[in-house]
């Protein structure tokens, strides 16, 4: 399986990082070694002094597809979940300033927390509320209606470049409110009022 991530899919997040609003989806990949499961602790890597959380809605692909048209895209994912795209922001900023690829700041080991999933018919895909609590305090809040590129657009666009296969995961972007994590922080992720993960920072 592969993990396909979407950057700058919420205008308020793009603005908080002083990035331009994209005219088409910004994509990057994470390897399967990036996966972190619920219940496992996250250890801050030694190469970053500004490791940040980005809570995101996830789509789980349920069948193989290539050149998927938007009107058929919903047939290619069956579940929606919640996760975190951990980002070494200091490393990313240095690489961006040099015009270099920044995968090592995004795709390092255990940088992709993949929480629980629910079948997509359990939610209103056009109006999904999700949030992240840090140490019991609200840190990030988002709604799928605020996406620059909604789920079906993303699936269709991604499939023009990468064949989507059963089990692939799409990270669909993060809202504003990203912040650095510190040792002993507790992060909890929710879709509506249901908890989809809880993780400790070590």
């Amino acid at each position: 399986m592969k993990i396909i991530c979407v950057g700058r899919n919420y205008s308020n997040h793009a603005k908080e990082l002083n990035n331009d609003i994209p005219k088409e989806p910004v994509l990057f990949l994470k390897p399967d070694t990036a996966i972190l499961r619920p219940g496992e602790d996250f250890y801050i890597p030694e190469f970053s002094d500004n490791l940040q959380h980005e809570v995101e809605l996830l789509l789980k692909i349920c069948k193989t597809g290539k050149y998927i048209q938007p009107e058929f895209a919903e047939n290619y994912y069956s579940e929606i979940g919640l996760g975190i795209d951990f980002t070494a922001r200091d490393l990313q900023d240095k690489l961006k300033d040099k015009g270099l690829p920044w995968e090592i700041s995004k795709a390092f080991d255990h940088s992709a927390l993949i929480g629980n999933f629910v079948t997509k018919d359990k939610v209103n895909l056009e109006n999904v509320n999700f949030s992240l609590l840090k140490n019991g305090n609200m840190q990030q809040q988002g709604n799928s209606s605020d996406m620059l590129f909604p789920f079906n657009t993303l699936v269709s666009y991604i499939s023009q470049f990468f064949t989507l296969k059963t089990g692939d995961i799409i990270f669909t972007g993060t809202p504003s409110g990203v912040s650095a994590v510190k040792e002993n922080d507790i992060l909890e992720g929710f879709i509506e009022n249901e908890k989809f993960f809880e993780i400790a920072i070590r």
Side-chain angles (χ1 to χ4, degrees), residues 151-196:
F151 297 139
N152 293 347
T153 300
L154 291 176
V155 170
S156 176
Y157 182 83
I158 290 168
S159 74
Q160 312 308 306
F161 303 94
F162 308 109
T163 297
L164 291 172
K165 294 185 175 182
T166 301
D168 287 350
I169 303 294
I170 298 174
F171 277 63
T172 62
T174 194
S176 62
V178 301
S179 68
V181 296
K182 304 296 183 184
E183 186 176 351
N184 298 320
D185 281 348
I186 301 295
L187 305 179
E188 301 169 90
F190 295 82
I191 293 180
E192 303 299 343
N193 295 315
E194 181 179 350
K195 185 185 291 189
F196 276 63

Side-chain angles (χ1 to χ4, degrees), residues 1 5 11 14 17 21 29 50 52 60 67 76 83-84 92 108 116 129 136 138 145 148 153 160 164 193-194:
M1 58 88 73
C5 303
S11 60
L17 296 183
I21 305 300
L29 302 177
N50 186 15
Q52 296 188 357
K60 184 181 289 186
Y67 295 116
Y76 288 83
I84 294 178
Q92 184 189 38
F108 56 87
N116 296 333
N129 291 299
M138 185 66 68
S145 65
L148 296 173
T153 300
Q160 312 308 306
L164 291 172
N193 295 315
E194 181 179 350

Side-chain angles (χ1 to χ4, degrees), residues 65-131:
K66 179 69 173 174
Y67 295 116
I68 301 165
Q69 296 305 304
E71 61 266 30
F72 302 118
E74 194 172 327
N75 297 326
Y76 288 83
Y77 58 95
S78 57
E79 298 176 83
I80 186 171
L82 196 67
I84 294 178
D85 166 22
F86 283 109
T87 303
R89 191 73 67 200
D90 47 354
L91 183 56
Q92 184 189 38
D93 288 343
K94 290 178 183 179
L95 294 166
K96 286 168 60 179
D97 287 344
K98 296 177 181 179
L100 298 173
W102 33 263
E103 272 77 8
I104 59 173
S105 70
K106 284 279 195 178
F108 56 87
D109 289 352
H110 299 156
S111 60
L113 170 64
I114 296 178
N116 296 333
F117 285 83
V118 65
T119 56
K120 66 184 182 186
D121 59 1
K122 300 292 186 182
V123 297
N124 178 355
L125 294 174
E126 297 180 355
N127 185 31
V128 183
N129 291 299
F130 63 105
S131 58

Side-chain angles (χ1 to χ4, degrees), residues 36 39-42 44 53 55 84 86 113 131-140 179-190 195-202:
L36 182 69
E40 298 177 342
D41 293 341
F42 176 81
I44 299 174
H53 59 77
V55 69
I84 294 178
F86 283 109
L113 170 64
S131 58
L132 179 84
L133 300 185
K134 183 166 76 170
N135 303 324
N137 299 312
M138 185 66 68
Q139 186 65 44
Q140 287 187 271
S179 68
V181 296
K182 304 296 183 184
E183 186 176 351
N184 298 320
D185 281 348
I186 301 295
L187 305 179
E188 301 169 90
F190 295 82
K195 185 185 291 189
F196 276 63
F197 65 76
E198 179 175 334
I199 188 170
I201 306 299
R202 301 303 184 200

